[in-house]
Amino acid sequence: MSYDVIVAGLGPAGSTAAYTLAKSGLKVLGLDKEKFPRYKSCGGCISTKIERILDFSIKEVIEDTIYGATYTYKSERAMDIISDRPVGYNVMRDRFDHFLVEKAKDAGAEIIEGCRVKSVEDHGDHVSVTCANGEVYKAKVLVGADGSSGLVGRQVFGLNPKEAAVSITAEVPYDRETANCKGKLFIDFGGVPYGYGWIFPKEKYLSVGLAGDTCKVGGKIKEYFNSFAGSHPALTNLKVEERIGWTVPIYYDGAPASVKGRVVLVGDTGHLVDPFLGEGIYYAIRTAKAASSVIINSMASGSIDLNPYQEWLEKEILPEFKAAEKLSDLVYNHPRLWYSIVEKDHEIMLRFYDVIRGEEDCDTFYTWVYNKIRSKPWKVIRRWIDSRFLPV
Ligand SMILES: Cc1cc2nc3c(=O)[nH]c(=O)nc-3n(C[C@H](O)[C@H](O)[C@H](O)COP(=O)(O)OP(=O)(O)OC[C@H]3O[C@@H](n4cnc5c(N)ncnc54)[C@H](O)[C@@H]3O)c2cc1C
């Protein structure tokens, strides 16, 4: 069977691509190895800037609107930093992803669930996709959206799935009525090397997780998780079971381009995850929309040139990720010092919420926070920041 576009993987990136492409009138095939709704290990918090890029409402799958967080350092020294405006929305990924797949179907994409892509090939004038059931599909363009350690990224682009943060998550049933957690998250610094722990409340579950730098964690992710889950006050008297490990393919300097011939990578497959927060849902959807619009234009012009998508990534997305990398170095290399600074100055986090909302860029925030910290009358901090970070 022959299509205009095949989309491999139907998480937020793939279903958004399938939706956008089908809506434009192209003949689209979307394939996913799972049947929806399916579980995805994820905190499930989406920043409010998502509203600016979607052309439909996601209200029916939002489980809570988030205004801020209770922060802790190694499960202690709790402080609330809450804004008067929303910062994000909490969703359960099984419901959210299923909702997006249905949108793609409604837009006219042909969707095959339970169909694992086994190999892909770019033949120059078309691409072919072979599935585990032996079926072979052809198209003019392939969108790789098969997630972290995705086959398309590995096979066509030679991406190394080990270039990722390591994480562990659990969904913990709780009583929302008696828990004091409406409208906020719980974020813990210092409990895992170069990362953070989280508890994101949903309607029936607390999504509990912890992620850190793979090398620095050194195979001890379960131990860090147990210590976090066993000590955090929001988990007192709750049973934390069913732990799931997953990788978070954060952007890293030197990651390969996301366009090769007739194949593009969107979302996690292309390591298009913010390296400071590990926020990937927004970027999965945003990159899928951008790639789709390049594909639509390319099809209309009659000659396939997908390079404008890479140019767009380099202009619109990668500078943000590079600034987020700098912020990660500042915060995660010295979480205790960072926590002490924020404890005395909540404005830092309140202004960071504007970055999450997409109202300020990360580089501007980084420069502001760098200068702010440096201007503090504490000599030790000034010496620390000057020794570690280049002036901006
Ligand atoms: C522990 C953890 C917590 C996170 N928390 C957050 C958060 O709170 N907020 C946030 O914004 N981001 C978070 N992220 C990141 C977020 O989960 C991802 O960035 C997001 O899921 C990316 O979407 P995607 O569509 O690119 O990939 P995915 O959601 O992984 O979807 C990929 C799809 O491809 C399918 N697939 C895989 N291989 C094949 C194959 N061979 N053939 C066919 N189909 C295939 C899979 O079944 C899946 O449906 C978190 C990640 C982790 C691991």
Side-chain angles (χ1 to χ4, degrees):
M1 286 277 275
S2 199
Y3 296 84
D4 289 320
V5 187
I6 296 174
V7 181
L10 294 169
S15 50
T16 301
Y19 166 82
T20 312
L21 294 161
K23 208 173 146 213
S24 80
L26 294 176
K27 191 175 174 203
V28 179
L29 174 66
L31 304 167
D32 201 289
K33 67 182 171 63
E34 303 288 340
K35 291 191 172 167
F36 291 85
R38 57 98 179 89
Y39 181 77
K40 160 79 174 81
S41 171
C42 186
C45 187
I46 311 177
S47 53
T48 51
K49 58 184 180 283
I50 194 76
E51 283 168 341
R52 289 195 220 144
I53 58 170
L54 286 177
D55 58 9
F56 49 80
S57 165
I58 56 166
K59 210 169 158 198
E60 68 182 84
V61 284
I62 291 175
E63 306 216 348
D64 202 2
T65 299
I66 301 305
Y67 290 81
T70 296
Y71 296 91
T72 42
Y73 178 77
K74 294 192 176 176
S75 296
E76 292 177 347
R77 293 161 61 185
M79 61 173 163
D80 276 359
I81 307 184
I82 310 291
S83 167
D84 51 8
R85 290 189 299 131
V87 185
Y89 303 113
N90 278 357
V91 300
M92 284 301 287
R93 287 291 304 275
D94 50 356
R95 289 180 64 206
F96 179 71
D97 290 18
H98 188 208
F99 172 81
L100 293 181
V101 169
E102 291 302 310
K103 286 277 172 200
K105 282 184 193 166
D106 291 348
E110 184 181 332
I111 300 292
I112 308 180
E113 299 176 35
C115 180
R116 188 169 66 82
V117 172
K118 210 175 83 183
S119 70
V120 296
E121 209 173 331
D122 186 342
H123 302 273
D125 61 345
H126 73 280
V127 288
S128 64
V129 171
T130 306
C131 297
N133 62 6
E135 290 289 343
V136 180
Y137 302 100
K138 292 178 183 168
K140 292 175 191 151
V141 170
L142 170 67
V143 177
D146 45 343
S148 62
S149 66
L151 172 123
V152 182
R154 274 183 286 126
Q155 217 170 72
V156 183
F157 293 75
L159 274 164
N160 180 359
K162 290 194 176 140
E163 291 275 9
V166 61
S167 73
I168 191 158
T169 54
E171 306 298 334
V172 180
Y174 80 120
D175 180 1
R176 189 165 161 78
E177 290 315 310
T178 55
N180 171 27
C181 62
K182 278 190 190 149
K184 66 174 182 180
L185 309 174
F186 297 88
I187 307 273
D188 185 65
F189 290 103
V192 60
Y194 213 90
Y196 68 96
W198 67 84
I199 301 166
F200 291 177
K202 316 288 172 64
E203 277 168 13
K204 293 186 186 146
Y205 299 96
L206 295 172
S207 294
V208 181
L210 184 113
D213 179 274
T214 306
C215 298
K216 293 188 171 88
V217 166
K220 289 189 185 159
I221 191 73
K222 268 194 185 161
E223 289 168 37
Y224 289 116
F225 182 86
N226 288 342
S227 165
F228 170 59
S231 62
H232 197 285
L235 297 173
T236 310
N237 299 327
L238 294 177
K239 238 186 170 172
V240 182
E241 286 175 325
E242 277 210 43
R243 288 133 207 230
I244 296 164
W246 212 286
T247 54
V248 191
I250 51 173
Y251 166 79
Y252 61 96
D253 210 6
S258 294
V259 175
K260 201 169 186 187
R262 289 174 175 261
V263 187
V264 290
L265 299 182
V266 292
D268 275 18
T269 320
H271 283 254
L272 296 164
V273 178
D274 158 75
F276 179 59
L277 293 177
E279 177 181 13
I281 301 168
Y282 167 79
Y283 293 101
I285 291 176
R286 189 157 173 218
T287 57
K289 283 186 78 91
S292 302
S293 100
V294 167
I295 293 167
I296 292 163
N297 290 341
S298 191
M299 294 277 185
S301 77
S303 76
I304 303 296
D305 174 14
L306 305 176
N307 288 309
Y309 170 58
Q310 183 63 32
E311 288 156 20
W312 175 85
L313 281 175
E314 279 164 22
K315 185 161 170 271
E316 299 292 335
I317 301 293
L318 303 193
E320 276 292 286
F321 285 179
K322 284 177 184 161
E325 263 189 328
K326 284 196 289 184
L327 193 59
S328 299
D329 279 346
L330 183 76
V331 174
Y332 299 135
N333 277 327
H334 303 276
R336 191 154 67 105
L337 195 50
W338 170 256
Y339 199 81
S340 302
I341 292 167
V342 175
E343 250 176 349
K344 291 189 184 72
D345 192 346
H346 289 194
E347 194 199 350
I348 292 176
M349 286 315 295
L350 287 170
R351 186 153 168 181
F352 184 65
Y353 294 168
D354 288 343
V355 178
I356 299 177
R357 292 185 187 106
E359 293 168 2
E360 174 162 281
D361 66 71
C362 193
D363 212 30
T364 307
F365 172 78
Y366 178 84
T367 306
W368 173 79
V369 82
Y370 174 96
N371 288 327
K372 187 178 180 70
I373 295 172
R374 209 186 165 279
S375 69
K376 297 275 183 207
W378 318 314
K379 262 196 200 145
V380 58
I381 289 181
R382 203 175 314 151
R383 244 185 276 131
W384 161 68
I385 201 163
D386 282 346
S387 69
R388 291 205 52 86
F389 304 101
L390 292 174
V392 280

